[in-house]
Amino acid sequence: MAGISADFFDGRSSRRRQVTIAVKDGKVTVSGDGMAFEVPVAEVKISARMSGMPRRLEFPGGAAAVVHDNEAVDRAFAVAVRKTLAHRLESHAGIVVAALILTIALCWSGYQYGVPWAAREAAMRLPANLESSIAEEGLKALDELLFRPSTLNARHRAALAQTFAALRDASGLPVSVRLELRDGKLIGANALALPGGIVVVTDPLARLLGDEDQIAAVLAHELGHIQHRHSLRYILQDSIVALAAMAIYGDASAVAGIAATVPTALVHARYSQGFEREADEYAYELLRKTGRSPRALGLALSALEAGAENGGESNARDKSDAEGGGVNDTGKRPRARDFGYLSTHPSTRERVQAAEAAAR
């Protein structure tokens, strides 16, 4: 029987030798490159056949040979080698295609449903003190990166605090949930809910929404995010994906990046439509509890949209010495445009219609 060409490694060094392997009378003979030895067939371990993958023959003492001719191995070691189930399955193109489709479907389902479910379960079980720590550190980082102290006058700040307190008390959320006002020069008219119960409203947004019911509607919406822990779930969803990427690719830097990107990620977080719908529904109920119409949320969104289209934030700045950036859709926006409230809250028209329907 003709010999089989193979790459031989002695197990003691990385040197590769070109050898010939022959099988006869229950013996395996390895020869070539100044070496020769013989062992019983029963002492040679042969890897399972996997399509065109090279086969590995392991010899006593740690030596091994890599053979690229699978058919030759099958013929020579017919007594010792069996085609495994894996080999039989991967030899059929239809099964391979079906397995690929199934794998893609499972990955998509896991990302679409499994990750949000896991994030929700984790968020609901996270200790409150840990979530508060995330909020405080996040606000501290935002103050260093994006925010300045609010320049609203004392009467305006007091009115906003009173409106927020009334909404919070009506919602049943703890008194630790608080409002923070900031001059959001770099992010324009915006409001966001941090994990742990901190709602941040920027001066430009407070100035654009001069109507108390409209600002209450925005605050109620952000309290909805607090109630459903959307910010924390958003962070956890991204973290789960990053951790999965680390597990697959072995890149530990993904984990380090999670904490570093939390503050700015929350500023321009595009919540899912499900999150936005939950927060809107929560806002409708809370507005009713405080004697306001759900229509106020639709009016607030329309006012923000109109202000954005007309550079309203910039106009508000001129009228009241604010420093927030304008947010119009003419293509001549300042840098703050990418972080405006509407840019992170999709489907404005549908949400306005939903608010109108809820008011009926």
Side-chain angles (χ1 to χ4, degrees), residues 151-152 183 203 207 314-324:
T151 59
L152 296 176
D183 177 4
D203 292 356
R207 288 183 172 113
S314 182
N315 294 336
R317 176 194 60 198
D318 295 337
K319 292 178 181 179
S320 54
D321 295 324
E323 294 183 353

Side-chain angles (χ1 to χ4, degrees), residues 340-359:
Y341 190 78
L342 294 178
S343 71
T344 58
H345 292 70
S347 306
T348 300
R349 181 180 299 178
E350 292 181 11
R351 294 175 65 206
V352 170
Q353 293 173 349
E356 290 291 332

